[in-house]
Amino acid sequence: MQGLLHRVSPQALRLLVLVGVIALLVAFFSSQIENYLNGRLFNRISSSVAVMALVATGQTLVILTRNIDLSVGAVIGFSAFAAGSLIAGMPDLNPVLLVLYAALVGGAFGVVNGLLVAYARVPSIIVTLATMAIYRSLLVEYSGAKSITTEQLPQWLTDFPNIQLFSIGDFQFRAGFCAALALVVLVHLALSRFRPARQLFAVGSNPEAAHMAGINAQRVVFTAFVLSGVMAGLAGFMFLARFGNITVVAGLGFELKSVASAVVGGVNIFGGSGTVIGAFLGTILVDLIETSLVRWQMVSEFWREAVLGALILVSVATDTIFNRRLASLRAARAHRIALEKKEASA
């Protein structure tokens, strides 16, 4: 076991453990819920993940820099309503322009958050807690207490998330899910191979060392919040396409779910480590639990929020213990190797 810990990276181990936990949960609920494991379960979860994966990806970028964005739910709601209002008034608008508009609206809110956190140096939890309320109030004012309904939207928009691209047995891979997955993979590749994107890890791991290395930490943090806003804006578009009916409470509660998805997926809440692939798997895990609890009669569905809170606590505690244990094992191994070299040279 210790040899495996030395050969496999901590992030890879987290992903393997997460996949194992998902498999165990599926096996457990299959034994508890009649006709549980079928194509409908996959299709239901993949439709929900298509929205939440985008938010969790943006949240991951912010958490990597030792910050947090609690305004994402309000940004989703505003972006969804703004995009819905635009397409309702201009039904012949190019779909690409509608997507860009939703991303632009979300990015504008991200700019506000980024300026306050990165340059005004106000703690992110304070800034985004305040802007969460402000953005939600702006949505109420902007909407005039009215709603966007499916009847106001063009058919292509409401059909988009459910367009079947291909299937494997009863498992349907739909356009919304595949688009979200493609974007997650794209961000993962950027974080893995694009040098400027790696600065997110440097700033989150050690801001002082990053500054001494010539990295503009303020710009990196600002960019992370802007990208989080853009991803929330894109999630707003997906939310609009999936549900059609948009009210002033659209996106409510997505703050907690996005944080839970990222942290459960192995993103260190203290910054500096994690992957968007892990956050994506965390999204699947969170949604799997939520969906299953609704059907599991032994537990009330009102415990879903409590389960999310417990997942965050357990994930943070486990991650801390895991990192400490891994560090001690590697330190012991390095000490042993040093002693062996010393003895060999004597």
Side-chain angles (χ1 to χ4, degrees), residues 46 83 227:
S46 63
L227 291 176

Side-chain angles (χ1 to χ4, degrees), residues 10 41 68 75 78 98 103 106-107 127 139 141 154 186 203 225 237 242-243 265 274 281 298 306 311 314 335:
L41 175 69
I68 194 169
V75 175
F78 196 102
L98 182 64
V127 168
L139 173 57
E141 185 67 25
L186 184 64
V203 170
F225 275 98
F237 168 81
R242 183 188 178 201
F243 295 105
L281 292 175
M298 291 186 64
L311 275 175
V314 171
H335 180 66

Side-chain angles (χ1 to χ4, degrees), residues 41 47 61 76 84 165 172 254 263-264 304 327:
L41 175 69
S47 296
L61 299 178
I76 291 171
L165 299 182
Q172 299 177 3
F254 277 50
V263 173
V264 169
R304 287 183 295 173

Side-chain angles (χ1 to χ4, degrees), residues 62-75:
V62 171
I63 293 177
L64 286 176
T65 65
R66 293 191 177 187
N67 290 289
I68 194 169
D69 189 352
L70 299 178
S71 69
V72 289
V75 175

Side-chain angles (χ1 to χ4, degrees), residues 325-340:
R325 177 60 176 165
L326 189 61
S328 63
L329 285 174
R330 289 183 170 176
R333 182 171 181 266
H335 180 66
R336 186 175 65 255
I337 292 175
L339 287 177
E340 289 174 354

Side-chain angles (χ1 to χ4, degrees), residues 80-81 83-89 91 98 148-158 239-246:
F81 196 95
S85 299
L86 179 64
I87 196 65
L98 182 64
I148 300 293
T149 61
T150 305
E151 291 73 20
Q152 298 173 267
L153 304 176
Q155 191 67 35
W156 69 262
L157 180 59
T158 54
F239 190 96
L240 171 68
R242 183 188 178 201
F243 295 105
N245 297 310
I246 306 298

Side-chain angles (χ1 to χ4, degrees), residues 117-131:
V117 175
Y119 294 101
R121 298 184 182 277
V122 183
S124 61
I125 192 169
I126 302 299
V127 168
T128 57
L129 190 61
T131 55

Side-chain angles (χ1 to χ4, degrees), residues 21 34 61 69 135 215 297 306 310 315 331 340:
V21 170
E34 186 178 355
L61 299 178
D69 189 352
Y135 297 162
I215 296 175
Q297 296 181 355
S315 298
E340 289 174 354

